[in-house]
Amino acid sequence: MTDQNHHDDLGTFAAILNSRLAISARIVRAKSFALQCVGWLIAFVMMGTGLVIAFWGYSTTISPVPAADIAANAISDAFRRAQIRTIVSGTMTLSPDAELTLAKDQRVKLMEGDLPLRNSSRSS
């Protein structure tokens, strides 16, 4: 009877130990599944955030106005604001009936005695 009880006790102990190990293994698998799900969630959130930021960045580069119009307006504004100052020297021959017109705030300096000038009645 002692021998039989000994085998029963050993078998019971092995069964209890086996069930506890099985429960521990299931707990570890559940934890690993949860951590894997969290990892996938983080990966999808990061990919989604990256896509949203990429689309937002791309949308800021697109304009309803064509790039050629923007460039043309920028160049015309630059020419409009530019101030050109120059000094011209030399000899210039004009026909006797030629008229010169100056733009607003434009000045011409002539050397004394170099050019006979006639004042037109239409000049202001």
Side-chain angles (χ1 to χ4, degrees):
M1 180 151 166
T2 320
D3 221 12
Q4 183 65 24
N5 284 340
H6 179 61
H7 284 297
D8 288 340
D9 289 340
L10 191 60
T12 305
F13 176 71
I16 291 171
L17 189 59
N18 191 23
S19 67
R20 286 190 181 181
L21 287 175
I23 290 172
S24 294
R26 283 186 183 179
I27 290 172
V28 168
R29 272 188 286 176
K31 285 181 182 179
S32 69
F33 178 74
L35 289 175
Q36 195 174 22
C37 288
V38 168
W40 280 106
L41 178 69
I42 290 171
F44 282 126
V45 166
M46 290 178 72
M47 285 190 308
T49 304
L51 284 173
V52 167
I53 290 171
F55 282 130
W56 176 75
Y58 181 70
S59 70
T60 60
T61 61
I62 294 179
S63 173
V65 180
D69 290 344
I70 294 171
N73 288 337
I75 291 171
S76 66
D77 287 345
F79 278 128
R80 199 173 302 122
R81 286 180 279 155
Q83 293 182 358
I84 300 173
R85 298 180 189 271
T86 183
I87 297 174
V88 179
S89 62
T91 304
M92 185 166 82
T93 306
L94 299 173
S95 65
D97 59 341
E99 292 183 8
L100 293 176
T101 305
L102 300 178
K104 182 181 176 186
D105 296 331
Q106 186 177 13
R107 290 172 285 185
V108 175
K109 181 179 177 184
L110 300 173
M111 302 297 282
E112 288 185 36
D114 285 348
L115 184 65
L117 294 177
R118 286 177 283 154
N119 194 5
S120 171
S121 61
R122 292 183 290 177
S123 67
S124 56

